[in-house]
Amino acid sequence: MNNTIQPEVLKSLMARQNLTQQALADLTAANHMPVGVATIKRICSPKGAPVKQRANTITSLAKALKVKPEALTASEVPALDEGYPLNAYVTMKAQVTRNVDLSFQSVEAIYGIPRSAQVAMAPLFAALIAETSLRWRQERLAAVGSIADQLDKLRGENPLLNGAFSRTWEAEKVEQQSIEQKDVLGHHALKELEELFELSSKGFGSLMNHDVPSLLPEEWTSPFCTFLKDYAKGFGNTQIEIQSDRYDESSRMSDGMLDYRVGQQLINAICGDSKWARRVIENGFININEIPRELLSPDQVNERIAFLKARITDADRAEMARQEIEGLNEFLTIRGKDQLEVSDDQIARILSRWDQEDVQ
C-alpha cells in the first residue's frame, strides 16, 4: 500500500469541507483516532518530498475527511462522488467572541473534550441544561406556593398584605405557565410580569398614597441566567465564571447569550504575572493546546513565558497599542475630552509602559 499522503490532495479535501488544520485535528480526536495538528502541518507543508505516514494516520485522516484511505495517497484529488458521501457533514458559520474561543480551548485543555466534539454536542448540552433549569424553577415555585398559602391565611383584611398576596399570586401563575411552555430564557414571562407589576404598583400606590417601585433590578434578570449562576456555585469551581449581576439588556439574555468564562484559573496558571503572555493568549496569537506540554509544568514558568512572548511580532505589538489608543479615544469622545494622537511616539510610550508593567 502506498503510504505517502500528497499535500495538495489533503489540502484540497480539507478545503472542500472548509476545515482548518486545527479543525481536522479536532475531528480525528473526536473519532478517538487523534492526529496532532503538528503532524497535519508537516504533511501540508513538507520540507522536501512527501514522506510516508503510518497506516493509522492515513485511516484517521480519511475517516475525518469522509473519504477512502486510498484517496489521500492518490496523485489527484478524487471526484466528489468517490469515497464516503461528503454531505454527512455541514459547515456551520458563526462568529464567537475571543472569550468564547478561549472557553473552547480551556474546556479541551481541562476536560479533554476536543472543540469539534464540543460543537457537535452543544445541542445535547443545551437541552440537558435547559431541562435542568426548568426543574430548578419548578422546585422554587413550589416553595413560593407554600409561602403564598401561608400568606393567604394570614392576610385577612390587611390591604398591604392583600396587595402583596395579589402580586405573588399573579407572578406564580406567570412562572408556572412559563415553565410549562419551556420558556427557558424567560422572555415572555419577564414581559408579562413587568406589565402586571407596573399595573398593580400604580393602582396600589395610588390607593395607599405610597410610592411603590415598579421595577426591582435584582428580580428582573433572566431566570436562566439566575439558574446558571446558582448551578455553577454548587461546584465551588473557579474555572467557571458567570457574570451579569444587574438589570440591563444583557441580563435579560435577549439573544440567548450571557457573559461567561471557562478556564480563567488555567490561564492564570499558564501566564503567571506576565501581562504580555496573557495578551498573547487572549488575543489569539496561540491556542492553549499549541503550548508544548513540557512547558506547562510549574517549574517551567520562565521558559513558558518566553515562549509565549515570542509568538507576537513587533508589528503585532504596535497594532495592539494602536487599538488601545483608539479604544481610549472612544471613551474620551463620550466624556467630551480631547482625543490622543495616534502617533508612533504615543504607541512607543504605551509599549514602554506595558514592558515596564510586565517586568514588575
Side-chain angles (χ1 to χ4, degrees):
M1 175 182 175
N2 179 11
N3 282 10
T4 302
I5 298 178
Q6 300 300 321
E8 295 307 317
V9 171
L10 177 59
K11 289 189 285 187
S12 296
L13 291 173
M14 290 168 58
R16 283 184 182 179
Q17 299 187 46
N18 293 323
L19 291 174
T20 63
Q21 293 174 349
Q22 183 62 58
L24 178 57
D26 288 345
L27 281 176
T28 64
N31 292 333
H32 306 291
M33 303 173 64
V35 176
V37 68
T39 298
I40 297 173
K41 287 180 179 179
R42 284 197 298 271
I43 296 173
C44 290
S45 304
K47 295 180 180 180
V51 297
K52 292 185 177 181
Q53 302 295 328
R54 293 185 301 115
N56 288 344
T57 299
I58 297 174
T59 301
S60 178
L61 292 173
K63 183 177 181 180
L65 291 165
K66 292 296 178 181
V67 296
K68 296 176 181 178
E70 305 85 71
L72 288 172
T73 58
S75 57
E76 296 181 355
V77 181
L80 283 174
D81 59 349
E82 294 183 25
Y84 296 101
L86 293 179
N87 61 2
Y89 285 89
V90 296
T91 299
M92 297 182 64
K93 296 182 179 180
Q95 289 185 325
V96 297
T97 64
R98 182 66 67 188
N99 281 346
V100 172
D101 181 61
L102 278 174
S103 293
F104 272 117
Q105 295 178 43
S106 297
V107 168
E108 180 172 4
I110 297 169
Y111 306 108
I113 305 175
R115 188 178 312 194
S116 58
Q118 295 177 52
V119 173
M121 291 192 290
L124 172 62
F125 293 159
L128 288 172
I129 202 68
E131 290 294 341
T132 304
S133 76
L134 293 173
R135 179 179 295 181
W136 179 86
R137 289 168 62 186
Q138 187 68 61
E139 291 171 353
R140 278 150 184 75
L141 182 62
V144 170
S146 176
I147 295 172
D149 289 342
Q150 296 180 44
L151 179 59
D152 189 24
K153 295 176 183 179
L154 295 172
R155 62 192 174 106
E157 300 299 324
N158 188 318
L160 288 172
L161 293 180
N162 278 326
F165 175 79
S166 175
R167 286 194 292 182
T168 302
W169 184 67
E170 289 291 346
E172 187 180 353
K173 288 198 305 181
V174 172
E175 174 69 347
Q176 184 62 56
Q177 185 179 33
S178 175
I179 293 171
E180 291 173 354
Q181 294 177 347
K182 297 189 182 299
D183 178 25
V184 172
L185 301 181
H187 293 165
H188 304 301
L190 282 171
K191 185 164 184 60
E192 188 172 350
L193 277 175
E194 191 170 24
E195 293 172 354
L196 287 170
F197 202 104
E198 186 177 0
L199 275 174
S200 62
S201 296
K202 286 180 179 178
F204 185 61
S206 174
L207 176 65
M208 300 300 298
N209 192 28
H210 183 69
D211 183 19
V212 179
S214 61
L215 189 64
L216 298 178
E218 64 272 17
E219 293 181 3
W220 295 90
T221 57
S222 162
F224 189 56
C225 179
T226 304
F227 156 73
L228 288 174
K229 291 173 65 177
D230 184 82
Y231 194 58
K233 285 179 183 177
F235 300 108
N237 187 344
T238 56
Q239 295 284 8
I240 303 173
E241 299 177 6
I242 298 176
Q243 301 171 353
S244 187
D245 292 322
R246 51 188 292 276
Y247 167 66
D248 55 24
E249 289 301 320
S250 64
S251 64
R252 286 182 181 237
M253 293 178 65
S254 58
D255 57 358
M257 299 294 291
L258 79 165
D259 294 329
Y260 71 90
R261 289 290 297 270
V262 177
Q264 189 60 51
Q265 189 177 18
L266 171 66
I267 295 174
N268 291 341
I270 291 174
C271 298
D273 295 328
S274 173
K275 294 183 179 180
W276 269 119
R278 184 177 296 275
R279 290 187 185 100
V280 168
I281 290 180
E282 292 185 344
N283 286 277
F285 291 103
I286 191 172
N287 288 335
I288 293 175
N289 62 2
E290 292 177 337
I291 302 173
R293 188 173 297 276
E294 61 270 17
L295 291 181
L296 292 176
S297 61
D299 61 341
Q300 293 291 311
V301 58
N302 292 333
E303 292 80 357
R304 182 169 64 249
I305 298 305
F307 171 82
L308 290 172
K309 291 169 70 171
R311 301 305 100 190
I312 185 170
T313 66
D314 289 342
D316 290 329
R317 284 162 48 93
E319 176 62 20
M320 291 175 65
R322 185 186 65 78
Q323 292 177 7
E324 178 84 0
I325 297 171
E326 291 179 350
L328 181 58
N329 280 339
E330 290 181 9
F331 175 78
L332 292 174
T333 300
I334 295 174
R335 295 289 179 134
K337 297 183 178 181
D338 294 335
Q339 293 190 355
L340 298 175
E341 181 184 1
V342 184
S343 64
D344 291 342
D345 288 343
Q346 190 69 260
I347 289 174
R349 280 194 290 271
I350 289 179
L351 291 176
S352 176
R353 173 168 58 83
W354 284 354
D355 288 337
Q356 290 174 4
E357 291 174 348
D358 206 59
V359 170
Q360 295 173 357

